[in-house]
């Protein structure tokens, strides 16, 4: 019955997403523990660049996608003003110590997190400046974590 549990967990993630034009669901442990190392085997420069990018994201968001078990993403196309992002991305992850992450982000200062409700689910939205590679996330754009 383990397969049924996995299917139910995946369904729970997907039904928690707001309406989306594109939905992506992946097993992060397998992707980053098995697939990525195989694909980048023999390409040490690419592997270093890939790992560095993930480390930069972790420094900004406080989240290490490599440590998550499963991730669901919903992408919605928007009609924004000129020069703004053209999509909205919501990510929901399993395998995150949510309380530790919240405490860490709250220590970075006020205004970085906001709380949203979608049905019975509470989301914590982290404002991330996509132009920054490292440092405090303070600009437009958002990474959302389920709470």
């Amino acid at each position: 019955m383990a397969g049924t549990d996995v299917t139910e967990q995946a369904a729970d993630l997907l039904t928690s997403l707001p309406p989306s034009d594109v939905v992506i669901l992946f097993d992060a442990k397998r992707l980053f523990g098995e697939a990525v190392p195989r694909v980048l085997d023999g390409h040490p420069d690419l592997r270093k660049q890939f790992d560095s990018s993930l480390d930069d994201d972790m420094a900004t968001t406080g989240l290490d996608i490599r440590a998550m078990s499963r991730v669901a993403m919903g992408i919605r196309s928007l009609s924004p003003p000129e020069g703004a992002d053209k999509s909205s991305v919501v990510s929901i992850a399993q395998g995150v110590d949510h309380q530790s992450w919240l405490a860490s982000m709250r220590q970075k200062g006020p205004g970085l997190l906001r709380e949203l409700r979608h049905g019975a689910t509470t989301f914590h939205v982290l404002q991330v400046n996509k132009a920054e590679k490292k440092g405090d996330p303070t600009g437009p754009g958002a990474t959302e974590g389920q709470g």
Side-chain angles (χ1 to χ4, degrees), residues 17-24 72-80 84-91 118 130 142 144:
L17 290 171
S20 304
D21 296 319
V22 176
V23 175
I24 302 167
M73 300 175 76
I75 304 167
R76 179 137 193 159
S77 298
L78 304 174
S79 299
D85 285 340
K86 297 190 186 305
S87 63
S88 172
V89 178
V90 174
S91 300
H118 176 69
K130 293 178 183 175
E144 301 193 12

Side-chain angles (χ1 to χ4, degrees), residues 46-62:
L46 282 175
R47 178 64 190 252
K48 184 177 178 181
Q49 182 180 359
F50 180 80
D51 288 340
S52 176
S53 176
L54 293 178
D55 290 341
D56 289 349
D57 288 345
M58 186 173 71
T60 302
T61 66

Side-chain angles (χ1 to χ4, degrees), residues 6-111:
V6 170
T7 303
E8 288 175 8
Q9 291 172 357
D12 287 346
L13 281 178
L14 293 173
T15 59
S16 295
L17 290 171
S20 304
D21 296 319
V22 176
V23 175
I24 302 167
L25 174 69
F26 61 93
D27 181 329
K29 291 270 189 217
R30 288 191 67 198
L31 177 67
F32 294 105
E34 298 173 24
V36 169
R38 261 188 268 160
V39 169
L40 297 179
D41 186 40
H43 304 282
D45 291 341
L46 282 175
R47 178 64 190 252
K48 184 177 178 181
Q49 182 180 359
F50 180 80
D51 288 340
S52 176
S53 176
L54 293 178
D55 290 341
D56 289 349
D57 288 345
M58 186 173 71
T60 302
T61 66
L63 297 169
D64 185 356
I65 195 167
R66 296 165 288 201
M68 298 174 189
S69 56
R70 192 170 289 110
V71 177
M73 300 175 76
I75 304 167
R76 179 137 193 159
S77 298
L78 304 174
S79 299
E82 184 68 31
D85 285 340
K86 297 190 186 305
S87 63
S88 172
V89 178
V90 174
S91 300
I92 302 173
Q94 290 176 330
V96 174
D97 182 346
H98 187 245
Q99 295 305 319
S100 294
W101 176 74
L102 281 175
S104 167
M105 290 299 100
R106 287 181 176 136
Q107 286 179 343
K108 288 192 173 203

